[in-house]
């Protein structure tokens, strides 16, 4: 998989002089900072890359409800329950805006969901890790939504109009998600020694999977270079990971928790932290379907879809009947 992403001489980003006139005009629009709208010309590669990226993003929002949904009934107070419920519901909304954005590119929601269910399309590998304790819900909000914000804020400036507009609302909600997670961490870290230990344990388990959320270093990736030229991607994975570490380390300190990295140190010269890379073998294993919860997550989504089949069928029949009724009605007199 990774090998396919390595840049080769024959497989590189074209420059303007090598492009067809349509593609050149398209690239020039992007370079001027214009937004591309659904009915306008776009190269097939741009359309396909966006369908993959927006589709995976939508799937991640939907599958991402599972590890937290798991805790709604077990949240420690009614207030925490209501907050978590609202957060998980927001994620469903994010999934829906994104499926709609993908649909403007000529792919149906059913097709995308079919690809997810058959394992042909991925979602973020972070959601294949279990949430074992209430502190994990804190760590997920703080770190996972935190990493998501880091990724998504620049995407508000992405070149495809519907994706960029969906990101504006999503980012607002994500900051609420991150705060609710950090708030849980504060309570736990300031609680009993057992609660503080739970908070530390959650940080230990979610730290490296959160760093993996930015993807492997993209220096050698031709996909990344092309996506950046198209402004589908604005920053490199390494830039975003660095920003995330620099933002999160002081927050961990404030909690009185230790980031599980003995090589973590402030580097005065680069004005950022030096830190250990996550275990990329683990990342590719999880991506390949062998993480702790991959099978469980996919099975839950497929079951939800199958259990809701009667409802989709009912809606489809109702929509057809309504259409026939409309077609039979005489047009209103002018
Ligand atoms: Fe979200
Ligand atoms: Fe979120």
């Amino acid at each position: 998989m990774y090998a396919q992403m390595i840049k080769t001489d024959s497989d590189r980003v074209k420059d303007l002089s090598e492009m067809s006139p349509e593609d050149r005009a398209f690239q020039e629009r992007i370079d001027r900072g214009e937004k591309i709208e659904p009915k306008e010309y776009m190269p097939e590669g741009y359309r396909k890359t966006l369908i993959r990226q927006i589709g995976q993003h939508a799937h991640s929002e939907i599958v991402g409800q599972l590890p937290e949904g798991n805790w709604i009934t077990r949240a420690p107070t009614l207030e925490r329950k209501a907050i978590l419920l609202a957060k998980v519901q927001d994620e469903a909304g994010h999934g829906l805006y994104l499926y709609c954005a993908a649909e403007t590119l000529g792919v149906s929601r059913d097709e995308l969901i079919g690809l997810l269910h058959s394992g042909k399309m991925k979602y973020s590998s972070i959601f294949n890790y279990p949430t074992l304790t209430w502190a994990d819900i804190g760590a997920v909000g703080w770190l996972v939504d935190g990493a998501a914000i880091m990724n998504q804020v620049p995407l508000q400036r992405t070149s495809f109009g519907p994706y960029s507009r969906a990101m504006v609302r999503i980012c607002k909600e994500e900051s609420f998600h991150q705060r609710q997670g950090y708030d849980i961490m504060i309570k736990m870290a300031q609680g009993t020694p057992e609660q503080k230990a739970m908070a530390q344990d959650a940080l230990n388990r979610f730290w490296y999977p959160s760093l993996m959320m930015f993807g492997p270093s993209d220096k050698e990736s031709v996909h990344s270079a092309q996506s950046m030229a198209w402004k589908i991607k604005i920053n490199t994975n390494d830039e975003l990971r660095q920003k995330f570490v620099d933002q999160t380390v002081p927050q961990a300190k404030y909690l009185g928790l230790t980031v599980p990295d003995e090589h973590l140190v402030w580097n005065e010269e680069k004005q950022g932290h030096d830190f250990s890379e996550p275990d990329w073998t683990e990342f590719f294993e999880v991506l390949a379907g062998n993480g702790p919860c991959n099978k469980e997550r996919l099975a839950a989504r497929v079951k939800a879809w199958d259990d809701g089949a009667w409802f989709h069928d009912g809606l489809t029949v109702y929509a057809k009947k309504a259409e026939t009724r409309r077609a039979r009605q005489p047009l209103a007199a002018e």
Side-chain angles (χ1 to χ4, degrees):
M1 164 115 202
Y2 191 45
Q4 287 171 1
M5 288 159 41
I6 304 293
K7 201 190 284 186
T8 65
D9 267 356
S10 58
D11 191 21
R12 60 185 177 75
V13 180
K14 283 184 186 166
D15 42 70
L16 286 175
S17 63
E18 300 166 284
M19 291 178 191
S20 69
E22 292 98 328
D23 286 356
R24 194 177 317 137
F26 174 83
Q27 186 62 51
E28 283 165 352
R29 290 190 60 196
I30 298 219
D31 294 344
R32 284 195 297 271
E34 287 178 33
K35 293 272 180 262
I36 306 300
E37 297 300 334
K39 295 274 184 316
E40 296 172 337
Y41 172 80
M42 60 184 78
E44 221 18 58
Y46 178 85
R47 180 189 303 277
K48 282 198 181 128
T49 307
L50 270 173
I51 290 176
R52 194 182 61 219
Q53 183 172 329
I54 302 175
Q56 285 178 1
H57 194 164
H59 297 329
S60 303
E61 302 284 355
I62 297 297
V63 178
Q65 294 179 100
L66 295 170
E68 290 176 294
N70 179 33
W71 276 89
I72 290 172
T73 55
R74 292 181 286 165
T77 65
L78 191 57
E79 190 189 15
R80 295 282 179 198
K81 209 187 288 279
I83 294 172
L84 184 60
L85 193 60
K87 194 246 183 204
V88 172
Q89 187 174 290
D90 282 353
E91 305 300 5
H94 298 175
L96 296 184
Y97 312 146
L98 289 163
Y99 284 127
C100 288
E103 281 183 311
T104 67
L105 291 159
V107 62
S108 76
R109 193 180 304 188
D110 279 3
E111 273 174 80
L112 290 172
I113 290 174
L115 290 168
L116 169 71
H117 290 177
S118 61
K120 291 191 186 114
M121 244 178 131
K122 304 284 181 206
Y123 53 87
S124 176
S125 62
I126 189 79
F127 302 118
N128 292 312
Y129 290 85
T131 42
L132 304 175
T133 70
W134 175 248
D136 285 12
I137 300 305
V140 167
W142 172 34
L143 302 173
V144 176
D145 289 88
I149 294 174
M150 213 43 104
N151 262 320
Q152 291 173 171
V153 164
L155 287 176
Q156 295 176 99
R157 289 182 286 119
T158 196
S159 60
F160 186 55
Y163 193 28
S164 124
R165 290 187 289 272
M167 280 303 125
V168 174
R169 174 151 177 196
I170 289 180
C171 283
K172 288 200 177 110
E173 294 178 345
E174 292 301 351
S175 11
F176 153 66
H177 298 172
Q178 193 190 22
R179 268 177 240 175
Q180 71 84 35
Y182 196 64
D183 187 57
I184 295 175
M185 292 307 275
I186 290 177
K187 273 276 178 322
M188 298 294 284
Q190 293 174 352
T192 63
E194 288 84 357
Q195 286 172 322
K196 187 167 182 186
M198 277 167 75
Q200 181 63 55
D201 175 57
L203 171 58
N204 292 350
R205 282 180 291 107
F206 278 94
W207 176 254
Y208 288 104
S210 303
L211 296 190
M212 290 177 200
M213 283 178 71
F214 300 96
S217 179
D218 41 12
K219 283 185 209 102
E220 297 302 319
S221 162
V222 70
H223 284 312
S224 292
Q226 180 60 75
S227 288
M228 288 184 81
W230 278 333
K231 294 192 189 156
I232 290 177
K233 191 175 169 139
I234 311 284
N235 301 90
T236 69
N237 296 348
D238 290 326
E239 277 166 12
L240 293 170
R241 190 171 10 253
Q242 180 71 52
K243 273 177 98 170
F244 175 75
V245 171
D246 293 340
Q247 174 188 283
T248 312
V249 169
Q251 295 171 344
K253 261 192 205 130
Y254 179 81
L255 293 171
L257 301 178
T258 313
V259 172
D261 179 359
E262 55 186 26
H263 299 115
L264 182 79
V265 62
W266 176 256
N267 180 330
E268 191 57 37
E269 203 179 313
K270 78 169 180 188
Q271 286 294 299
H273 291 85
D274 290 333
F275 58 94
S276 304
E277 287 273 312
D279 176 358
W280 292 113
T281 319
E282 177 183 321
F283 172 79
F284 287 113
E285 271 298 300
V286 177
L287 205 63
N290 305 320
C293 301
N294 294 57
K295 291 189 180 65
E296 187 184 327
R297 300 291 186 237
L298 211 52
R301 286 314 312 155
V302 172
K303 181 175 183 306
W305 183 260
D306 291 345
D307 287 352
W310 66 273
F311 189 67
H312 309 148
D313 293 349
L315 273 184
T316 314
V317 172
Y318 178 78
K320 273 198 189 127
K321 275 189 185 164
E323 200 176 319
T324 321
R325 251 196 323 271
R326 264 199 309 275
R328 276 203 207 119
Q329 250 163 28
L331 288 173
E334 283 176 30

